Amino acid sequence: MAVTVAPRAQLLTTQQAADLLGVSRPTLVRLLEQGRIPFERVGNHRRVRVDDVLRYQEQRREEQVQVLAALAVPVEEEGDLEVALAITREVRRKLAAARRSR
């Protein structure tokens, strides 16, 4: 893994920001257009602050932890498996609905 040291106010190109997040550039552009990550326009080009990219990355990690915690269902007996699967399906439906409403 590479390590980059940069000022938090530094502006990144969309490709640099996408590389930092580990997503494709079109995916990053979609996130920018949805307002999930703030950006600036410099001429015809979008620029993203390192600080905003890192903030989004931290928010995503927190969301992922919450999703994993919500999906964690203890299974102690054989009959509990069906209950656990039903709970998991319901949690997934609620999470998908929450994502669509953003």
Side-chain angles (χ1 to χ4, degrees):
M1 297 181 92
V3 175
T4 302
V5 178
R8 294 181 75 85
Q10 178 182 349
L11 293 177
L12 302 174
T13 65
T14 52
Q15 185 61 58
Q16 291 169 325
D19 290 344
L20 184 60
L21 291 174
V23 299
S24 68
R25 195 188 65 75
T27 297
L28 178 82
V29 169
R30 189 172 16 119
L31 293 170
L32 298 177
E33 296 301 326
Q34 290 172 347
R36 310 253 337 250
I37 303 173
F39 69 96
E40 302 172 10
R41 284 213 180 256
V42 178
N44 289 333
H45 303 283
R46 296 175 191 89
R47 296 291 184 256
V48 186
R49 291 191 184 281
V50 171
D51 204 27
D52 293 330
V53 174
L54 295 175
R55 187 176 304 114
Y56 173 79
Q57 187 177 46
E58 183 60 31
Q59 289 171 347
R60 281 294 293 153
R61 283 190 183 136
E62 289 174 14
E63 289 174 8
Q64 290 170 344
V65 167
Q66 290 173 358
V67 167
L68 289 173
L71 290 173
V73 179
V75 179
E76 296 175 9
E77 297 177 21
E78 194 172 312
D80 284 346
L81 182 57
E82 292 303 319
V83 173
L85 290 173
I87 291 170
T88 301
R89 280 190 221 97
E90 184 60 28
V91 168
R92 285 183 180 167
R93 276 191 218 108
K94 288 179 182 178
L95 290 170
R99 280 191 212 115
R100 284 191 296 270
S101 67
R102 284 190 223 162

